[in-house]
Coordinates of all heavy atoms in Angstrom, one line a residue:
M1 N 3.7 14.3 3.9 CA 2.9 13.6 5.0 C 2.6 14.4 6.2 O 1.8 14.1 7.0 CB 3.6 12.3 5.4 CG 2.9 11.1 4.9 SD 3.9 9.6 4.9 CE 5.1 9.7 6.2
D2 N 3.3 15.6 6.3 CA 3.1 16.4 7.5 C 2.1 17.5 7.3 O 1.7 18.2 8.2 CB 4.4 17.1 7.9 CG 5.1 17.8 6.8 OD1 4.4 17.9 5.7 OD2 6.3 18.1 6.9
G3 N 1.5 17.6 6.1 CA 0.5 18.6 5.7 C 1.1 19.9 5.5 O 0.3 20.9 5.3
I4 N 2.4 20.1 5.7 CA 3.0 21.4 5.5 C 3.6 21.7 4.2 O 3.5 22.7 3.6 CB 4.0 21.6 6.7 CG1 3.4 21.6 8.0 CG2 4.8 22.9 6.4 CD1 4.4 21.5 9.1
C5 N 4.2 20.5 3.6 CA 4.8 20.6 2.3 C 4.1 19.6 1.4 O 3.7 18.6 1.8 CB 6.2 20.3 2.4 SG 7.2 21.5 3.3
C6 N 4.1 19.9 0.1 CA 3.6 18.9 -0.9 C 4.7 17.8 -1.0 O 5.9 18.1 -1.1 CB 3.6 19.7 -2.3 SG 3.2 18.5 -3.6
D7 N 4.2 16.6 -0.8 CA 5.1 15.5 -0.8 C 5.8 15.2 -2.2 O 6.7 14.4 -2.3 CB 4.5 14.2 -0.3 CG 4.2 14.3 1.2 OD1 5.1 14.7 1.9 OD2 3.0 14.0 1.6
R8 N 5.2 15.8 -3.2 CA 5.7 15.5 -4.6 C 6.7 16.6 -4.9 O 7.9 16.3 -5.4 CB 4.6 15.5 -5.6 CG 5.0 15.0 -6.9 CD 3.9 14.8 -7.9 NE 4.4 14.6 -9.2 CZ 4.8 15.5 -10.0 NH1 4.8 16.8 -9.7 NH2 5.3 15.2 -11.2
C9 N 6.4 17.9 -4.8 CA 7.3 18.9 -5.2 C 8.0 19.7 -4.1 O 8.9 20.5 -4.4 CB 6.6 19.9 -6.2 SG 5.4 20.9 -5.4
G10 N 7.5 19.5 -2.9 CA 8.1 20.1 -1.7 C 7.7 21.5 -1.5 O 8.2 22.2 -0.6
K11 N 6.7 22.0 -2.3 CA 6.2 23.4 -2.1 C 5.5 23.5 -0.8 O 4.7 22.6 -0.3 CB 5.3 23.7 -3.3 CG 4.9 25.2 -3.2 CD 4.5 25.6 -4.6 CE 3.0 25.1 -5.0 NZ 2.6 25.6 -6.2
G12 N 5.6 24.6 -0.1 CA 4.9 24.8 1.2 C 3.3 24.9 0.9 O 2.9 25.6 0.0
L13 N 2.6 24.2 1.6 CA 1.2 24.1 1.4 C 0.3 25.2 2.1 O -0.6 25.7 1.5 CB 0.6 22.7 1.7 CG 1.0 21.5 0.8 CD1 0.7 20.2 1.3 CD2 0.5 21.8 -0.6
L14 N 0.7 25.4 3.3 CA -0.1 26.3 4.1 C 0.0 27.7 3.6 O -1.1 28.5 3.5 CB 0.2 26.2 5.6 CG 0.0 24.8 6.1 CD1 0.3 24.8 7.6 CD2 -1.5 24.4 6.0
L15 N 1.1 28.2 3.2 CA 1.3 29.6 2.9 C 1.0 29.8 1.4 O 0.4 30.8 1.1 CB 2.9 30.0 3.1 CG 3.3 29.9 4.6 CD1 4.8 30.2 4.6 CD2 2.6 30.8 5.4
D16 N 1.4 28.9 0.5 CA 1.2 29.2 -0.9 C -0.1 28.8 -1.5 O -0.5 29.3 -2.5 CB 2.4 28.5 -1.6 CG 3.8 28.9 -1.2 OD1 3.8 29.9 -0.5 OD2 4.7 28.2 -1.5
E17 N -0.7 27.8 -0.9 CA -2.0 27.3 -1.5 C -3.1 27.3 -0.6 O -3.0 27.0 0.6 CB -1.7 25.8 -1.9 CG -0.5 25.6 -2.9 CD -0.9 26.0 -4.3 OE1 -2.1 26.3 -4.5 OE2 0.0 26.1 -5.1
D18 N -4.3 27.6 -1.1 CA -5.5 27.6 -0.3 C -6.0 26.2 -0.1 O -6.6 25.9 0.9 CB -6.7 28.3 -1.1 CG -6.3 29.8 -1.2 OD1 -5.5 30.3 -0.4 OD2 -6.8 30.4 -2.1
V19 N -5.7 25.4 -1.0 CA -6.2 24.0 -1.0 C -5.1 23.0 -1.1 O -4.1 23.2 -1.7 CB -7.1 23.7 -2.3 CG1 -7.8 22.3 -2.1 CG2 -8.2 24.7 -2.4
R20 N -5.2 22.0 -0.2 CA -4.2 20.9 -0.3 C -5.0 19.6 -0.5 O -6.2 19.5 0.0 CB -3.3 20.8 0.8 CG -3.9 20.5 2.1 CD -2.9 20.6 3.2 NE -3.5 20.5 4.5 CZ -3.6 19.4 5.3 NH1 -3.0 18.3 4.9 NH2 -4.1 19.5 6.4
Y21 N -4.4 18.6 -1.1 CA -5.1 17.4 -1.3 C -4.4 16.2 -0.5 O -3.1 16.3 -0.4 CB -5.1 17.0 -2.8 CG -6.0 17.9 -3.6 CD1 -5.4 19.1 -4.1 CD2 -7.3 17.7 -3.7 CE1 -6.1 20.0 -4.8 CE2 -8.1 18.6 -4.4 CZ -7.5 19.7 -5.0 OH -8.3 20.6 -5.7
Q22 N -5.1 15.4 0.0 CA -4.5 14.2 0.7 C -4.8 12.9 -0.1 O -5.9 12.7 -0.6 CB -5.2 14.0 2.1 CG -4.8 15.1 3.0 CD -5.4 14.9 4.4 OE1 -6.6 14.3 4.5 NE2 -4.7 15.2 5.4
V23 N -3.7 12.2 -0.3 CA -3.8 10.9 -1.0 C -3.6 9.8 0.0 O -2.6 9.8 0.7 CB -2.7 10.8 -2.1 CG1 -2.8 9.5 -2.9 CG2 -2.7 12.0 -3.1
H24 N -4.6 9.0 0.1 CA -4.4 7.9 1.0 C -4.5 6.6 0.2 O -5.5 6.2 -0.4 CB -5.7 7.9 2.0 CG -5.5 7.1 3.2 ND1 -6.5 6.8 4.1 CD2 -4.4 6.3 3.6 CE1 -6.1 6.0 5.0 NE2 -4.8 5.7 4.7
I25 N -3.4 5.9 0.2 CA -3.3 4.6 -0.6 C -3.3 3.4 0.4 O -2.4 3.4 1.3 CB -2.1 4.7 -1.5 CG1 -2.1 5.9 -2.3 CG2 -2.0 3.3 -2.2 CD1 -0.8 6.1 -3.1
I26 N -4.1 2.4 0.1 CA -4.1 1.2 0.9 C -3.7 0.1 -0.1 O -4.5 -0.1 -1.0 CB -5.4 0.9 1.6 CG1 -5.7 2.1 2.6 CG2 -5.4 -0.4 2.3 CD1 -7.0 1.9 3.3
V27 N -2.7 -0.5 0.2 CA -2.3 -1.8 -0.6 C -2.4 -3.0 0.2 O -1.7 -3.1 1.2 CB -0.8 -1.6 -1.1 CG1 -0.5 -2.8 -2.1 CG2 -0.7 -0.3 -1.9
Q28 N -3.3 -3.8 -0.1 CA -3.5 -5.0 0.8 C -3.6 -6.3 0.0 O -4.1 -6.3 -1.1 CB -4.7 -4.8 1.8 CG -6.0 -4.6 1.1 CD -7.1 -4.2 2.1 OE1 -6.8 -4.0 3.2 NE2 -8.3 -4.2 1.6
A29 N -3.2 -7.3 0.7 CA -3.4 -8.6 0.0 C -4.8 -8.9 -0.3 O -5.6 -8.8 0.6 CB -2.8 -9.7 0.8
A30 N -5.2 -9.4 -1.4 CA -6.6 -9.6 -1.8 C -7.1 -11.0 -1.6 O -7.6 -11.6 -2.6 CB -6.9 -9.1 -3.2
Y31 N -6.8 -11.6 -0.5 CA -7.3 -13.0 -0.2 C -8.3 -12.8 0.9 O -8.3 -12.0 1.7 CB -6.2 -14.0 0.1 CG -5.5 -13.7 1.4 CD1 -6.1 -14.1 2.6 CD2 -4.3 -13.0 1.4 CE1 -5.4 -13.9 3.8 CE2 -3.7 -12.7 2.6 CZ -4.2 -13.2 3.8 OH -3.6 -13.0 5.0
D32 N -9.3 -13.7 0.9 CA -10.2 -13.7 1.9 C -9.8 -14.8 3.0 O -9.9 -16.0 2.6 CB -11.6 -14.1 1.3 CG -12.7 -14.2 2.4 OD1 -12.4 -13.9 3.6 OD2 -13.8 -14.3 2.0
P33 N -9.5 -14.4 4.2 CA -9.1 -15.4 5.2 C -10.1 -16.5 5.4 O -9.8 -17.7 5.8 CB -8.9 -14.6 6.5 CG -8.8 -13.1 6.0 CD -9.5 -13.1 4.7
M34 N -11.4 -16.2 5.2 CA -12.4 -17.2 5.4 C -12.4 -18.4 4.4 O -12.9 -19.4 4.6 CB -13.8 -16.6 5.3 CG -14.1 -15.6 6.4 SD -13.8 -16.2 8.0 CE -15.3 -17.1 8.3
E35 N -11.6 -18.2 3.3 CA -11.5 -19.3 2.3 C -10.5 -20.3 2.8 O -10.5 -21.4 2.2 CB -11.0 -18.7 1.0 CG -12.1 -17.8 0.3 CD -11.6 -17.2 -1.0 OE1 -10.4 -17.4 -1.3 OE2 -12.3 -16.4 -1.5
I36 N -9.7 -20.1 3.8 CA -8.9 -21.2 4.2 C -9.6 -22.0 5.2 O -10.0 -21.5 6.3 CB -7.6 -20.4 4.9 CG1 -6.9 -19.5 4.0 CG2 -6.7 -21.6 5.5 CD1 -5.8 -18.8 4.6
T37 N -9.7 -23.2 4.9 CA -10.6 -24.2 5.8 C -9.6 -25.0 6.5 O -8.4 -25.1 6.3 CB -11.4 -25.1 4.9 OG1 -10.5 -25.9 4.1 CG2 -12.3 -24.3 4.0
R38 N -10.1 -25.6 7.6 CA -9.3 -26.5 8.4 C -8.7 -27.6 7.6 O -7.6 -28.1 7.7 CB -10.2 -27.1 9.5 CG -9.5 -28.1 10.5 CD -10.6 -28.7 11.4 NE -10.9 -27.6 12.4 CZ -10.3 -27.5 13.6 NH1 -9.4 -28.3 13.9 NH2 -10.7 -26.6 14.4
E39 N -9.5 -28.1 6.6 CA -9.1 -29.1 5.6 C -7.9 -28.6 4.9 O -6.8 -29.4 4.7 CB -10.2 -29.4 4.6 CG -10.3 -30.8 4.2 CD -11.5 -31.1 3.4 OE1 -11.5 -30.8 2.2 OE2 -12.6 -31.5 4.0
D40 N -7.9 -27.4 4.4 CA -6.7 -26.8 3.7 C -5.5 -26.9 4.6 O -4.4 -27.3 4.1 CB -7.0 -25.4 3.3 CG -8.0 -25.2 2.2 OD1 -8.1 -26.3 1.4 OD2 -8.7 -24.2 2.1
L41 N -5.6 -26.5 5.9 CA -4.6 -26.5 6.8 C -4.0 -27.9 7.0 O -2.7 -28.1 7.1 CB -4.9 -25.8 8.1 CG -5.3 -24.3 8.0 CD1 -5.7 -23.9 9.4 CD2 -4.1 -23.5 7.6
Q42 N -4.9 -28.9 7.1 CA -4.4 -30.3 7.3 C -3.8 -30.8 6.1 O -2.8 -31.6 6.2 CB -5.6 -31.1 7.7 CG -6.0 -30.9 9.2 CD -7.3 -31.5 9.5 OE1 -8.1 -31.9 8.7 NE2 -7.7 -31.5 10.8
K43 N -4.2 -30.3 4.8 CA -3.6 -30.8 3.6 C -2.2 -30.3 3.4 O -1.4 -30.8 2.7 CB -4.5 -30.4 2.5 CG -5.6 -31.5 2.1 CD -6.2 -31.2 0.8 CE -7.0 -29.9 0.8 NZ -7.8 -29.7 -0.4
T44 N -1.9 -29.2 4.1 CA -0.6 -28.5 3.9 C 0.5 -29.4 4.6 O 0.4 -29.6 5.8 CB -0.6 -27.0 4.5 OG1 -1.7 -26.4 3.9 CG2 0.7 -26.4 4.2
S45 N 1.4 -29.8 3.8 CA 2.4 -30.8 4.3 C 3.4 -30.0 5.2 O 3.5 -28.7 5.1 CB 3.1 -31.4 3.1 OG 3.9 -30.5 2.4
S46 N 4.1 -30.7 6.0 CA 5.0 -30.1 6.9 C 6.2 -29.4 6.1 O 6.7 -28.4 6.5 CB 5.6 -31.0 8.0 OG 6.2 -32.0 7.3
S47 N 6.5 -30.1 5.0 CA 7.6 -29.3 4.2 C 7.2 -28.0 3.6 O 7.9 -27.1 3.5 CB 8.1 -30.4 3.1 OG 7.0 -30.7 2.2
T48 N 5.8 -28.0 3.3 CA 5.3 -26.7 2.8 C 5.4 -25.6 3.8 O 5.8 -24.5 3.6 CB 3.9 -26.9 2.3 OG1 3.8 -27.9 1.3 CG2 3.3 -25.6 1.6
W49 N 4.9 -26.0 5.1 CA 5.0 -25.1 6.2 C 6.5 -24.7 6.4 O 6.7 -23.5 6.6 CB 4.5 -25.7 7.5 CG 3.0 -25.7 7.5 CD1 2.3 -26.8 7.5 CD2 2.2 -24.6 7.5 NE1 0.9 -26.5 7.6 CE2 0.8 -25.1 7.6 CE3 2.4 -23.3 7.5 CZ2 -0.3 -24.3 7.6 CZ3 1.2 -22.4 7.5 CH2 -0.1 -22.9 7.6
K50 N 7.4 -25.6 6.4 CA 8.9 -25.3 6.6 C 9.3 -24.3 5.5 O 10.0 -23.3 5.9 CB 9.7 -26.5 6.6 CG 11.1 -26.2 7.0 CD 11.8 -27.5 7.4 CE 13.3 -27.1 7.9 NZ 13.8 -25.8 7.4
A51 N 9.0 -24.5 4.3 CA 9.4 -23.6 3.2 C 8.8 -22.2 3.4 O 9.5 -21.2 3.2 CB 8.9 -24.1 1.8
L52 N 7.6 -22.2 3.9 CA 6.9 -20.9 4.1 C 7.5 -20.1 5.2 O 7.8 -19.0 5.2 CB 5.4 -21.2 4.5 CG 4.4 -20.0 4.5 CD1 4.3 -19.5 3.0 CD2 3.0 -20.4 5.0
L53 N 7.8 -20.9 6.3 CA 8.5 -20.3 7.6 C 9.9 -19.8 7.2 O 10.3 -18.7 7.6 CB 8.5 -21.2 8.7 CG 7.1 -21.5 9.3 CD1 7.2 -22.6 10.4 CD2 6.6 -20.2 10.0
D54 N 10.6 -20.6 6.3 CA 12.0 -20.2 5.9 C 12.0 -18.9 5.2 O 12.7 -18.1 5.3 CB 12.6 -21.3 5.0 CG 13.1 -22.4 5.9 OD1 13.1 -22.4 7.1 OD2 13.5 -23.5 5.2
R55 N 10.9 -18.8 4.3 CA 10.8 -17.5 3.5 C 10.5 -16.4 4.5 O 11.0 -15.3 4.3 CB 9.6 -17.8 2.5 CG 10.1 -17.7 1.1 CD 9.1 -18.0 0.1 NE 7.8 -17.3 0.3 CZ 6.6 -17.8 -0.2 NH1 6.6 -18.9 -0.8 NH2 5.5 -17.1 0.0
L56 N 9.6 -16.6 5.5 CA 9.3 -15.5 6.3 C 10.5 -15.1 7.2 O 10.7 -14.0 7.5 CB 8.1 -15.9 7.3 CG 6.7 -15.8 6.7 CD1 5.7 -16.5 7.6 CD2 6.3 -14.4 6.3
E57 N 11.3 -16.1 7.5 CA 12.5 -15.8 8.4 C 13.5 -14.9 7.7 O 14.2 -14.1 8.4 CB 13.2 -17.1 8.7 CG 12.9 -17.6 10.1 CD 13.5 -19.0 10.4 OE1 14.5 -19.2 9.8 OE2 12.9 -19.7 11.1
N58 N 13.4 -15.0 6.4 CA 14.3 -14.1 5.6 C 13.8 -12.7 5.5 O 14.5 -11.8 4.9 CB 14.7 -14.7 4.2 CG 15.4 -15.9 4.3 OD1 16.3 -16.1 5.2 ND2 15.2 -16.9 3.5
L59 N 12.6 -12.4 5.9 CA 12.1 -11.1 5.7 C 12.2 -10.3 7.1 O 12.1 -11.0 8.2 CB 10.5 -11.1 5.4 CG 10.2 -11.8 4.1 CD1 8.7 -11.9 4.0 CD2 10.7 -10.9 2.9
T60 N 12.3 -9.0 7.0 CA 12.2 -8.2 8.2 C 10.7 -8.2 8.6 O 9.9 -8.5 7.8 CB 12.8 -6.8 8.0 OG1 11.9 -6.2 7.1 CG2 14.1 -6.9 7.6
E61 N 10.4 -7.8 9.8 CA 9.0 -7.7 10.3 C 8.3 -6.7 9.3 O 7.1 -7.0 9.0 CB 8.9 -7.2 11.7 CG 7.6 -7.2 12.3 CD 7.6 -6.7 13.6 OE1 8.6 -6.7 14.4 OE2 6.6 -6.2 14.2
K62 N 8.9 -5.7 8.9 CA 8.3 -4.7 8.1 C 8.0 -5.2 6.7 O 7.0 -5.0 6.2 CB 9.2 -3.4 7.9 CG 8.5 -2.3 7.3 CD 9.5 -1.1 7.2 CE 8.8 0.0 6.5 NZ 8.4 -0.3 5.1
E63 N 8.9 -6.0 6.2 CA 8.7 -6.6 4.9 C 7.6 -7.6 4.9 O 6.8 -7.6 4.0 CB 10.0 -7.3 4.4 CG 11.1 -6.4 3.9 CD 12.4 -7.1 3.6 OE1 12.6 -8.1 4.2 OE2 13.1 -6.6 2.8
A64 N 7.5 -8.4 5.9 CA 6.4 -9.3 6.1 C 5.1 -8.6 6.2 O 4.1 -9.0 5.5 CB 6.7 -10.2 7.3
Q65 N 5.1 -7.4 6.9 CA 3.9 -6.7 7.1 C 3.5 -6.1 5.7 O 2.3 -6.1 5.4 CB 4.1 -5.6 8.1 CG 3.0 -4.5 8.3 CD 1.7 -5.2 8.9 OE1 1.8 -6.2 9.6 NE2 0.6 -4.5 8.7
D66 N 4.5 -5.6 5.0 CA 4.2 -4.9 3.7 C 3.5 -5.9 2.7 O 2.8 -5.4 1.8 CB 5.4 -4.4 3.1 CG 5.9 -3.1 3.9 OD1 5.1 -2.5 4.7 OD2 7.0 -2.6 3.5
Q67 N 3.8 -7.1 2.9 CA 3.2 -8.1 1.9 C 1.7 -8.2 2.2 O 1.0 -8.7 1.2 CB 3.9 -9.5 2.1 CG 5.3 -9.5 1.5 CD 5.9 -10.9 1.4 OE1 5.2 -11.9 1.7 NE2 7.1 -10.9 0.8
V68 N 1.3 -7.9 3.3 CA -0.1 -8.1 3.6 C -0.9 -6.8 3.5 O -2.0 -6.7 3.0 CB -0.3 -8.7 5.0 CG1 -1.8 -8.9 5.4 CG2 0.4 -10.0 5.0
H69 N -0.3 -5.8 4.2 CA -1.1 -4.5 4.3 C -0.1 -3.3 4.4 O 0.8 -3.4 5.1 CB -1.9 -4.5 5.5 CG -2.8 -3.3 5.6 ND1 -4.1 -3.3 5.3 CD2 -2.5 -2.1 6.1 CE1 -4.6 -2.1 5.5 NE2 -3.7 -1.3 6.1
R70 N -0.4 -2.4 3.6 CA 0.5 -1.1 3.6 C -0.4 0.0 3.3 O -1.2 0.1 2.4 CB 1.5 -1.2 2.5 CG 2.5 -0.1 2.4 CD 3.7 -0.3 3.4 NE 4.4 0.9 3.5 CZ 5.4 1.3 2.8 NH1 6.0 0.4 2.0 NH2 6.1 2.4 3.0
E71 N -0.2 1.1 4.2 CA -1.0 2.3 4.0 C 0.0 3.4 3.8 O 1.0 3.6 4.5 CB -1.8 2.6 5.2 CG -3.1 1.9 5.2 CD -4.1 2.4 6.3 OE1 -4.4 3.5 6.3 OE2 -4.5 1.5 7.2
L72 N -0.3 4.3 2.7 CA 0.5 5.4 2.5 C -0.3 6.7 2.5 O -1.4 6.6 2.0 CB 1.2 5.3 1.0 CG 2.0 4.0 0.8 CD1 2.2 3.7 -0.7 CD2 3.3 4.0 1.5
Q73 N 0.2 7.7 3.0 CA -0.5 8.9 3.0 C 0.5 10.1 2.5 O 1.5 10.2 2.9 CB -1.0 9.3 4.4 CG -2.1 10.3 4.3 CD -3.1 10.1 5.5 OE1 -3.1 9.1 6.2 NE2 -4.0 11.0 5.7
F74 N -0.1 10.8 1.5 CA 0.7 11.9 1.0 C -0.2 13.3 0.9 O -1.4 13.2 0.8 CB 1.1 11.6 -0.5 CG 1.9 10.4 -0.5 CD1 1.4 9.2 -1.1 CD2 3.2 10.4 -0.1 CE1 2.1 8.1 -1.2 CE2 4.0 9.2 -0.3 CZ 3.4 8.1 -0.7
D75 N 0.5 14.4 1.0 CA -0.2 15.6 0.8 C 0.3 16.2 -0.5 O 1.4 16.1 -0.9 CB 0.2 16.6 1.9 CG -0.3 16.2 3.3 OD1 -1.5 16.1 3.5 OD2 0.5 15.9 4.2
L76 N -0.6 16.8 -1.3 CA -0.3 17.3 -2.6 C -0.8 18.7 -2.8 O -1.9 19.1 -2.3 CB -0.9 16.4 -3.7 CG -0.3 15.0 -3.9 CD1 -1.1 14.2 -4.9 CD2 1.1 14.9 -4.1
C77 N -0.1 19.6 -3.5 CA -0.6 20.9 -3.8 C -1.4 20.6 -5.1 O -1.4 19.6 -5.7 CB 0.6 21.8 -4.2 SG 1.6 21.3 -5.6
P78 N -2.3 21.7 -5.5 CA -3.2 21.5 -6.6 C -2.6 21.0 -7.9 O -3.0 20.1 -8.5 CB -3.9 22.9 -6.7 CG -3.9 23.3 -5.2 CD -2.6 22.9 -4.7
P79 N -1.4 21.7 -8.4 CA -0.8 21.1 -9.6 C -0.4 19.7 -9.5 O -0.5 19.0 -10.5 CB 0.4 22.1 -9.8 CG 0.1 23.3 -8.9 CD -0.8 22.8 -7.8
C80 N 0.1 19.3 -8.4 CA 0.6 17.9 -8.2 C -0.6 17.0 -8.2 O -0.6 15.8 -8.6 CB 1.5 17.7 -7.0 SG 3.2 18.5 -7.2
Q81 N -1.7 17.4 -7.5 CA -2.9 16.6 -7.5 C -3.4 16.3 -8.9 O -3.7 15.2 -9.2 CB -4.0 17.3 -6.7 CG -5.3 16.6 -6.5 CD -6.3 17.0 -7.5 OE1 -6.1 17.9 -8.4 NE2 -7.6 16.6 -7.3
K82 N -3.4 17.4 -9.8 CA -3.7 17.2 -11.2 C -2.8 16.2 -11.9 O -3.3 15.2 -12.5 CB -3.7 18.6 -11.9 CG -4.5 18.7 -13.0 CD -4.7 20.2 -13.5 CE -5.3 20.2 -14.9 NZ -4.3 20.4 -15.9
L83 N -1.5 16.3 -11.7 CA -0.6 15.3 -12.3 C -0.8 13.9 -11.8 O -0.8 13.0 -12.5 CB 0.8 15.8 -12.0 CG 1.3 17.1 -12.9 CD1 2.6 17.6 -12.3 CD2 1.4 16.7 -14.3
Y84 N -1.1 13.9 -10.4 CA -1.2 12.6 -9.8 C -2.4 11.8 -10.4 O -2.4 10.7 -10.8 CB -1.3 12.6 -8.3 CG -1.6 11.3 -7.7 CD1 -0.6 10.4 -7.6 CD2 -2.9 11.0 -7.2 CE1 -0.8 9.1 -7.0 CE2 -3.1 9.8 -6.7 CZ -2.1 8.9 -6.5 OH -2.3 7.6 -6.0
L85 N -3.5 12.6 -10.6 CA -4.8 12.0 -11.1 C -4.6 11.6 -12.6 O -5.3 10.6 -13.0 CB -5.9 12.9 -11.0 CG -6.4 13.1 -9.5 CD1 -7.6 14.0 -9.5 CD2 -6.8 11.8 -8.9
E86 N -3.7 12.2 -13.3 CA -3.5 11.8 -14.7 C -2.8 10.5 -14.7 O -2.9 9.7 -15.7 CB -2.6 12.8 -15.4 CG -3.5 14.0 -15.9 CD -2.6 15.2 -16.4 OE1 -1.4 14.9 -16.7 OE2 -3.2 16.3 -16.5
M87 N -1.9 10.2 -13.7 CA -1.2 8.9 -13.7 C -1.0 8.4 -12.3 O 0.0 8.5 -11.7 CB 0.1 9.1 -14.5 CG 0.7 7.7 -14.8 SD 2.3 7.9 -15.6 CE 1.9 8.5 -17.1
P88 N -2.1 7.9 -11.7 CA -2.0 7.4 -10.3 C -1.0 6.2 -10.2 O -0.4 6.1 -9.2 CB -3.5 6.9 -10.0 CG -4.3 7.4 -11.1 CD -3.5 7.6 -12.3
L89 N -0.9 5.4 -11.2 CA 0.1 4.3 -11.2 C 1.0 4.6 -12.4 O 0.5 4.6 -13.5 CB -0.6 3.0 -11.4 CG -1.5 2.4 -10.2 CD1 -2.1 1.2 -10.6 CD2 -0.6 2.3 -9.0
P90 N 2.3 4.7 -12.1 CA 3.2 4.9 -13.2 C 3.1 3.8 -14.3 O 3.0 2.7 -14.0 CB 4.6 4.8 -12.6 CG 4.4 5.1 -11.1 CD 3.0 4.5 -10.9
G91 N 3.0 4.3 -15.6 CA 2.8 3.3 -16.7 C 1.4 3.0 -17.0 O 1.2 2.3 -18.0
L92 N 0.5 3.4 -16.1 CA -0.9 3.1 -16.3 C -1.7 4.3 -16.6 O -1.8 5.1 -15.6 CB -1.5 2.3 -15.2 CG -3.0 1.8 -15.3 CD1 -3.2 0.7 -16.2 CD2 -3.5 1.4 -14.0
S93 N -2.2 4.6 -17.7 CA -2.9 5.9 -18.0 C -4.3 5.7 -17.5 O -4.8 4.6 -17.4 CB -2.8 6.3 -19.4 OG -3.5 5.3 -20.2
E94 N -5.0 6.8 -17.3 CA -6.3 6.7 -16.7 C -7.3 6.1 -17.7 O -8.2 5.4 -17.3 CB -6.8 8.2 -16.5 CG -8.0 8.2 -15.5 CD -8.5 9.6 -15.3 OE1 -7.9 10.6 -15.9 OE2 -9.4 9.8 -14.5
S95 N -7.1 6.3 -19.0 CA -8.0 5.8 -20.0 C -7.6 4.4 -20.4 O -6.6 4.2 -21.2 CB -8.0 6.7 -21.3 OG -6.7 6.9 -21.7
R96 N -8.2 3.4 -19.8 CA -7.8 2.0 -20.0 C -8.6 1.4 -21.1 O -9.8 1.7 -21.3 CB -7.9 1.1 -18.7 CG -6.7 1.3 -17.9 CD -6.7 0.4 -16.7 NE -7.7 0.9 -15.7 CZ -8.0 0.1 -14.6 NH1 -7.6 -1.1 -14.5 NH2 -8.9 0.6 -13.7
Ligands
LIG101 ZN1 3.4 19.9 -5.4

């Protein structure tokens, strides 16, 4: 993440490689806030709100934030970039 070392293999990027790659991953909750209407909010019972708040209370601020939006940034050397593109998600091959 510092641009000096490959985040996958730890190889120095500036000295050993001409090219480095940046991977920027955004993981965000895929709901549209506009879909929540005033009616929906009124329909939500107080026990539902309480259950929701109880659940949030058990999370750290970071955990709660991660559930909605998370950004990750990595630097990769060329061999690791090639490997990463072959399998961006573990267990999911590129050819679906
Ligand atoms: Zn590497």
